[in-house]
Amino acid sequence: MDTSSRHGIKVHAARFTAQAMQEAVRDAFVKLAPRTMMKNPVMFVVLVGTVLTTGLSLQALAKGQPWAYTLVVALILFVTVLFANFAEAVAEARGRGQAASLRAARSQLVGRRWRNGQFEYLPAAELRPDDIVVVSANEQIPADGEIVEGVASINEAAVTGESAPVLREAGTDRSGVIAGTTVLSDEIKVRVTAQPGASFLDRMIALVEGAQRQKTPNELALTVLLAALTLVFLIVVVTLPALAQFADVKIDVVVLVALLVCLIPTTIGGLLPAIGIAGMNRALEANVIAKSGKAVELAGDIDTLLLDKTGTITLGDRRATEFIAVAGARVPDLREAALLASLSDPTPEGKSIVALAQAQGASSGDISSSTFVPFSAESRMSGVDLASGRRIRKGARSAIVAWARVGSVAVPADLDAAVDRIARGGATPLVVADDTRVLGVIALADIVKHGVRERFARLRAMGVRTVMITGDNPLTAAAIAAEAGVDDFLAEAKPEDKLARIRAEQAEGRLVAMVGDGTNDAPALAQADIGLAMNSGTQAAKEAGNMVDLDSDPTKLLSVVEIGKQLLITRGALTTFSLANDVSKYFAIIPAIFVAAIPGMAALDIMHLSGPVNAVLAALIFNAAIIPALIPLALRGVSFRPGSAESLLRRNLLLFGVGGVVLPFIAIKLIDLVLAAVFGAR
């Protein structure tokens, strides 16, 4: 994943200033409000324990009884709650810098509305869907919309952070424009598509600030599990004094509170909100706007990726690589005819044919009086009619054969062999003919992007199946699929075929992701579980998808899947670590409570702590300190390596399960040694 600072949003995401730290500390206190705390059952129990022990310490002080120990416990519990709130506040603060730059992009926007043959200037907030606004060079686009007339170069740096201008044109799949971007050249008419306050920038700001962050299904399920565990331990602790009476052991309320706080999963309870927010932030650092946290998380569960060939798997600009003459025609004659047919062809393929022919010595002569015949979807060929009456055409084999037969031109017997050889090699065959004969075939190679094969192998190791969608014939599609390393392909595909394939995959119980940018991709983007729309695409595509790539890079979908996987793994790893911690804290506190009255409990006192008071304090201090210690890991995410579910589970159990048991033993013992050295054995 590219994390270079050339993207403005990435720079903001990576920077954590002193001001952001101050805001996070302030928000940690603001989140102490009971209504807010109740959303996190685990930390709400800790807050109740804090209030209870604080009240007990004040009561003891008023009666002249020992109160310092109770107050210290209350302070440690209070710090534990603050650290949990701080973890969430830090994750939210990282997004505020991003939101500030986005908010600046939409401020003070004014639109020049065209109505009844007249212009009127209106604040952007007063523009409504279907209004037509005119935007000229050096003016900002006031609202989200579609270009209905004109073509312009647009600077989208305010949104994407990318300084290179992009081209937007009416009637194409790149007609969508965003409020706050600047027109650099020409003049365009834009039809407004968004209500005030519901623009792309508004949604981005709300998502970045977390105002619309809803818990994902997995996060909700884990929250319920943590609440259930908390309830179980609460029942155990409440019934413990009655059980202790049989051993003539009296357990202090403060110790019971400390035991409860150490046994409930406070670590994951404190870090859970931060993990979800950080997942969305990591997507944003990759310049991907997720419309919900659910979309990021769902990306980690994807089974099938549908990818367009052109521009995603291949470079997209096919280049002429070879001239193959047929039926005894001379290669120089084929080169000359291909050159003449392509001199006025504005496409990258046409320009590459001209470059290759000229590099091999072909010349065109004077064609100023000739008529260029442009390519059309109906004819599937293009060419030139020379002033001499000679006609030259290049195009698909079937189109040229049909044209040649109309002109009573014989079709060479070896043409199909040449076409098949090129197609089997993964290139596209382009047949050339003139009035007198079919001359041969041009090979147009669609180059597979560097590193794509390795990325597909990485996805395969994660259990994700890749399917290439292309309009090429099956032979060409099969060759490119083999070279790129995809698992399957769909050849000669039409837009409706994408939708049908997604539904077929989902009918078999798979989660499907796809990428698209055109209006005709909107149904498939909406149907897919993860629909990644290109920022350069139409408004319909961006509305249909649940993610938008600001860089308009179709391969970004591969990174999105990895971000989702990392989010799920991070949550699972820290949950495992948190639950494993409870084992060590159990061995720290339980023996300290009962060993004096029940000598047999000494077998459990494997830590040999200096005393019951120090044991409780050491466990509480570790319980509080581990939350801020894990904040960087929660924000950054656990390092991710592709592998099977079994290998990932084994790694988590070994690293975070065993580590979660061993680390507290060591840390609590060290804290106890410090307490014993400072205050003595207690």
Side-chain angles (χ1 to χ4, degrees):
M1 185 192 310
D2 177 20
T3 57
S4 66
S5 61
R6 67 186 182 89
H7 294 292
I9 287 178
K10 291 176 184 174
V11 173
H12 287 296
R15 186 181 300 153
F16 194 71
T17 62
Q19 180 182 355
M21 178 67 75
Q22 292 172 1
E23 291 178 356
V25 172
R26 180 200 64 199
D27 288 348
F29 283 91
V30 172
K31 291 177 182 292
L32 289 172
R35 182 173 295 181
T36 303
M37 292 298 303
M38 288 179 68
K39 297 177 181 178
N40 189 334
V42 177
M43 300 316 300
F44 180 70
V45 169
V46 180
L47 180 63
V48 172
T50 303
V51 174
L52 178 60
T53 51
T54 301
L56 291 174
S57 66
L58 293 176
Q59 184 181 36
L61 178 62
K63 293 180 178 181
Q65 298 173 349
W67 53 270
Y69 169 62
T70 307
L71 183 60
V72 169
V73 170
L75 288 174
I76 296 174
L77 296 183
F78 181 66
V79 170
T80 303
V81 176
L82 277 184
F83 281 158
N85 289 349
F86 179 72
E88 183 176 4
V90 166
E92 292 174 348
R94 294 180 73 198
R96 289 199 183 94
Q98 302 162 345
S101 64
L102 296 173
R103 192 177 286 107
R106 69 166 186 181
S107 63
Q108 306 300 321
L109 292 178
V110 176
R112 185 158 43 116
R113 185 169 65 181
W114 176 259
R115 177 176 288 182
N116 300 325
Q118 294 181 342
F119 288 117
E120 56 180 330
Y121 289 86
L122 293 173
E126 296 183 20
L127 293 173
R128 296 292 183 268
D130 294 328
D131 281 347
I132 301 296
V133 293
V134 178
V135 190
S136 300
N138 300 318
E139 293 180 350
Q140 287 187 311
I141 295 171
D144 290 2
E146 299 272 358
I147 299 176
V148 294
E149 184 179 314
V151 57
S153 176
I154 297 177
N155 179 2
E156 296 184 343
V159 177
T160 67
E162 176 58 67
S163 59
V166 295
L167 196 67
R168 298 286 180 262
E169 184 176 2
T172 69
D173 285 342
R174 293 178 174 267
S175 61
V177 291
I178 301 173
T181 56
T182 304
V183 174
L184 299 179
S185 67
D186 303 293
E187 184 177 87
I188 53 176
K189 284 186 178 180
V190 177
R191 179 176 60 83
V192 176
T193 58
Q195 291 281 0
S199 69
F200 185 65
L201 278 179
D202 289 314
R203 291 197 302 272
M204 286 171 63
I205 292 168
L207 289 168
V208 168
E209 291 181 330
Q212 296 179 359
R213 196 190 86 84
Q214 298 178 345
K215 289 185 177 181
T216 64
N218 284 348
E219 190 175 348
L220 285 171
L222 183 55
T223 300
V224 171
L225 174 61
L226 298 181
L229 288 174
T230 301
L231 180 61
V232 168
F233 284 122
L234 181 61
I235 294 172
V236 169
V237 169
V238 168
T239 58
L240 192 59
L243 297 175
Q245 284 184 353
F246 289 100
D248 294 325
V249 177
K250 184 178 180 181
I251 304 177
D252 186 63
V253 174
V254 176
V255 174
L256 286 175
V257 172
L259 177 63
L260 174 62
V261 170
C262 286
L263 291 183
I264 62 177
T266 52
T267 303
I268 187 61
L271 294 174
L272 188 59
I275 294 171
I277 296 172
M280 293 185 68
N281 284 343
R282 282 196 295 275
L284 191 56
E285 288 172 16
N287 258 15
V288 173
I289 297 294
K291 295 183 179 179
S292 69
K294 180 181 179 181
V296 178
E297 183 179 286
L298 195 60
D301 289 327
I302 287 300
D303 301 302
T304 304
L305 277 183
L306 264 60
L307 299 161
D308 279 328
K309 183 204 74 172
T310 304
T312 304
I313 296 174
T314 64
L315 293 176
D317 291 340
R318 295 177 298 179
R319 301 168 185 174
T321 57
E322 186 181 7
F323 295 107
I324 302 173
V326 297
R330 298 172 59 248
V331 173
D333 294 336
L334 171 61
R335 285 196 208 108
E336 180 195 7
L339 174 62
L340 292 171
S342 305
L343 280 172
S344 298
D345 187 345
T347 65
E349 292 87 350
K351 293 176 181 177
S352 73
I353 293 171
V354 171
L356 180 64
Q358 290 178 338
Q360 294 183 359
S363 60
S364 61
D366 183 15
I367 60 168
S368 57
S369 301
S370 302
T371 302
F372 175 64
V373 179
F375 175 86
S376 69
E378 293 76 17
S379 67
R380 292 194 299 153
M381 61 183 177
S382 63
V384 63
D385 292 338
L386 301 177
S388 62
R390 182 184 176 195
R391 299 182 304 161
I392 303 174
R393 297 291 185 270
K394 60 179 172 59
R397 176 202 172 279
S398 57
I400 293 297
V401 166
W403 179 82
R405 284 175 177 165
V406 169
S408 301
V409 177
V411 178
D414 55 350
L415 177 62
D416 286 343
V419 168
D420 287 347
R421 180 172 73 82
I422 292 172
R424 290 182 188 281
T428 300
L430 205 62
V431 179
V432 179
D434 65 15
D435 281 331
T436 57
R437 64 195 301 190
V438 174
L439 299 174
V441 188
I442 308 169
L444 295 175
D446 202 353
I447 309 301
V448 173
K449 288 183 176 180
H450 177 71
V452 164
R453 187 180 184 88
E454 290 73 18
R455 298 195 75 174
F456 288 152
R458 185 178 173 90
L459 287 170
R460 193 174 298 109
M462 292 185 239
V464 179
R465 186 164 158 269
T466 52
V467 179
M468 182 184 77
I469 309 295
T470 177
D472 287 338
N473 64 66
L475 286 177
T476 301
I480 294 178
E483 183 181 353
V486 297
D487 299 303
D488 197 3
F489 65 89
L490 181 63
E492 296 179 340
K494 299 181 290 295
E496 54 268 26
D497 294 331
K498 296 180 184 179
L499 183 60
R501 182 59 181 258
I502 291 172
R503 287 174 173 167
E505 295 280 345
Q506 291 172 331
E508 295 178 8
R510 301 188 184 100
L511 294 178
V512 183
M514 77 155 288
V515 61
D517 59 1
T519 300
N520 57 5
D521 289 327
L525 287 169
Q527 179 69 34
D529 300 285
I530 293 295
L532 179 64
M534 299 294 97
N535 183 42
S536 61
T538 62
Q539 193 69 20
K542 287 186 281 190
E543 290 292 341
N546 50 15
M547 289 187 176
V548 178
D549 176 22
L550 299 178
D551 294 332
S552 299
D553 176 8
T555 61
K556 192 70 66 66
L557 189 56
L558 309 182
S559 299
V560 168
V561 171
E562 294 187 357
I563 291 170
K565 292 281 186 187
Q566 187 182 38
L567 171 62
L568 295 175
I569 290 170
T570 300
R571 185 182 294 151
L574 292 182
T575 300
T576 303
F577 182 85
S578 177
L579 297 178
N581 277 188
D582 292 343
V583 177
S584 305
K585 289 178 284 188
Y586 171 87
F587 279 100
I589 295 182
I590 294 296
I593 296 174
F594 292 100
V595 72
I598 308 175
M601 294 285 288
L604 297 177
D605 191 18
I606 58 179
M607 290 193 191
H608 300 292
L609 301 179
S610 58
V613 172
N614 285 350
V616 170
L617 291 179
L620 285 177
I621 291 172
F622 171 79
N623 191 64
I626 196 64
I627 294 176
L630 290 176
I631 288 177
L633 182 61
L635 298 181
R636 183 181 66 251
V638 173
S639 61
F640 171 68
R641 292 195 301 270
S644 64
E646 293 78 10
S647 65
L648 291 174
L649 177 61
R650 193 182 310 114
R651 175 173 176 262
N652 271 357
L653 289 176
L654 288 175
L655 184 59
F656 294 96
V658 175
V661 172
V662 173
L663 177 62
F665 274 105
I666 299 171
I668 291 173
K669 181 62 178 178
L670 291 175
I671 295 171
D672 176 71
L673 292 175
V674 173
L675 292 175
V678 175
F679 302 107
R682 295 181 298 166

